[in-house]
Amino acid sequence: MTNEIKRRGRPPLQGQSYSPHVQIDFSQIAKLNSLNIDARMMEQMESGLTIDKLISHEGGIPCATNIMIIGDPGVGKTTVLLDLIASVQIKNPERKCLFISGEMGKKQMWKYTQRFPQFGTVNTMFVSDYTDYNTKEVLEQVLNIGWDLVLIDSAAEIIDGVRDDNGWDRKIAESWLVDMCTKNNKGMNEANVFSTFLLIQQVTKAGVFVGSNKMKHMVDAMGEMRRNKESDGGGTYIEFSKNRNGHVAVKLSYQLTGSSIVYSNIEAREEEEISK
């Protein structure tokens, strides 16, 4: 009977094998107080909106960060996040912001802009304009330009496009998206910009996140946009279940009007949640 050597850890990917004789370089191990972090990675991008205080304790969207937002259909995910990125662009004209629309076309977005004129300040790429190209190549090349803040709507649409164009399964396509975001977080693009990503993701009919645990672990913050039950007075709110930079389990109520978004007072909401 042959004795097999069992190794701990995840199994090798198909077509690959571990090489136990390779010498690994551990020179990157360092004490935390000696880490060489570029000061630009610690900056905040302020929008001037109340939601800044929910996203981070400093008040703004942190650079080199990944934020995923999920929520019920029609709750206003695209509207709220487009308003956020547009407000960042207006308040910080030196920043480069990009909206990647994988779900809506030009006609729909033009109608949006009639209601919310500030959306017109954001550079927008419609994925539908590049159907003659491989979605993977399109995304990699546009992000390599170097953007401070990128809104992707939605992650699921991008993943499906990459899967179809390359014959990949979902896990491989998700890994590609994670790696692409991480690469640009680190400033590995032509402009050496430490990109931040706002990723809208779909949910199941039960309101559960669609995606792997790898995607969950990749993001620095996971926000949920929901509707209150009628017994709670109705209305909509955003709440972070995970946030390495700011508030968790603090509900920020908001209301969509014809041409604006009205937020509640976050300081009052924070005190209310803490006192419970």
Side-chain angles (χ1 to χ4, degrees), residues 78-125:
T78 302
T79 305
V80 168
L81 294 182
L82 255 177
D83 187 51
L84 177 61
I85 191 174
S87 298
V88 168
Q89 185 68 89
I90 293 169
K91 189 174 179 63
N92 308 272
E94 75 283 1
R95 297 285 188 182
K96 292 177 62 178
C97 299
L98 175 67
F99 172 44
I100 298 177
S101 179
E103 298 201 351
M104 288 193 290
K106 292 180 178 179
K107 179 181 178 181
Q108 292 169 306
M109 285 308 307
W110 185 86
K111 292 176 66 176
Y112 245 121
T113 307
Q114 300 308 297
R115 288 180 56 198
F116 301 91
Q118 67 271 28
F119 293 179
T121 64
V122 180
N123 286 299
T124 301
M125 189 195 84

Side-chain angles (χ1 to χ4, degrees), residues 184-238:
N184 284 277
N185 291 156
K186 296 177 180 178
M188 298 171 67
N189 46 60
E190 289 182 352
N192 186 220
V193 173
F194 300 103
S195 305
T196 286
F197 290 88
L198 303 175
L199 302 157
I200 295 176
Q201 182 59 318
Q202 298 174 355
V203 295
T204 64
K205 291 182 179 179
V208 179
F209 166 79
V210 175
S212 66
N213 286 330
K214 185 171 184 178
M215 288 189 68
K216 284 185 178 181
H217 297 322
M218 177 268 291
V219 298
D220 300 280
M222 174 76 76
E224 300 184 16
M225 296 176 65
R226 304 290 189 184
R227 291 185 178 88
N228 281 310
K229 298 178 181 178
E230 291 302 323
S231 58
D232 296 325
T236 48
Y237 67 90
I238 180 169

Side-chain angles (χ1 to χ4, degrees), residues 141-248:
Q141 290 188 36
V142 73
L143 292 177
N144 192 48
I145 294 172
W147 304 88
D148 293 282
L149 183 58
V150 180
L151 169 60
I152 296 180
D153 183 19
S154 65
E157 285 294 326
I158 297 301
I159 289 170
D160 286 345
V162 170
R163 287 179 61 195
D164 293 342
D165 290 349
N166 297 280
W168 290 351
D169 63 25
R170 178 169 293 277
K171 287 187 177 179
I172 294 177
E174 285 184 349
S175 293
W176 165 82
L177 179 60
V178 170
D179 292 343
M180 185 181 65
C181 291
T182 302
K183 174 183 175 181
N184 284 277
N185 291 156
K186 296 177 180 178
M188 298 171 67
N189 46 60
E190 289 182 352
N192 186 220
V193 173
F194 300 103
S195 305
T196 286
F197 290 88
L198 303 175
L199 302 157
I200 295 176
Q201 182 59 318
Q202 298 174 355
V203 295
T204 64
K205 291 182 179 179
V208 179
F209 166 79
V210 175
S212 66
N213 286 330
K214 185 171 184 178
M215 288 189 68
K216 284 185 178 181
H217 297 322
M218 177 268 291
V219 298
D220 300 280
M222 174 76 76
E224 300 184 16
M225 296 176 65
R226 304 290 189 184
R227 291 185 178 88
N228 281 310
K229 298 178 181 178
E230 291 302 323
S231 58
D232 296 325
T236 48
Y237 67 90
I238 180 169
E239 177 183 18
F240 282 96
S241 56
K242 168 185 177 181
N243 194 348
R244 294 170 179 160
N245 300 292
H247 298 284
V248 174

Side-chain angles (χ1 to χ4, degrees), residues 51 54 69-72 75-77 80 223-229 232 234-241 249-256 262-264 269 273:
I51 196 173
L54 183 70
I69 300 294
I70 65 173
D72 306 319
V75 79
K77 298 184 294 296
V80 168
E224 300 184 16
M225 296 176 65
R226 304 290 189 184
R227 291 185 178 88
N228 281 310
K229 298 178 181 178
D232 296 325
T236 48
Y237 67 90
I238 180 169
E239 177 183 18
F240 282 96
S241 56
V250 173
K251 293 182 179 180
L252 174 62
S253 299
Y254 65 92
Q255 180 181 1
L256 300 180
V262 180
Y263 294 98
S264 65
R269 296 296 301 167
E273 295 294 331

Side-chain angles (χ1 to χ4, degrees), residues 1-7:
M1 183 174 180
T2 304
N3 293 325
E4 294 183 355
I5 299 176
K6 295 184 178 180
R7 297 188 179 92

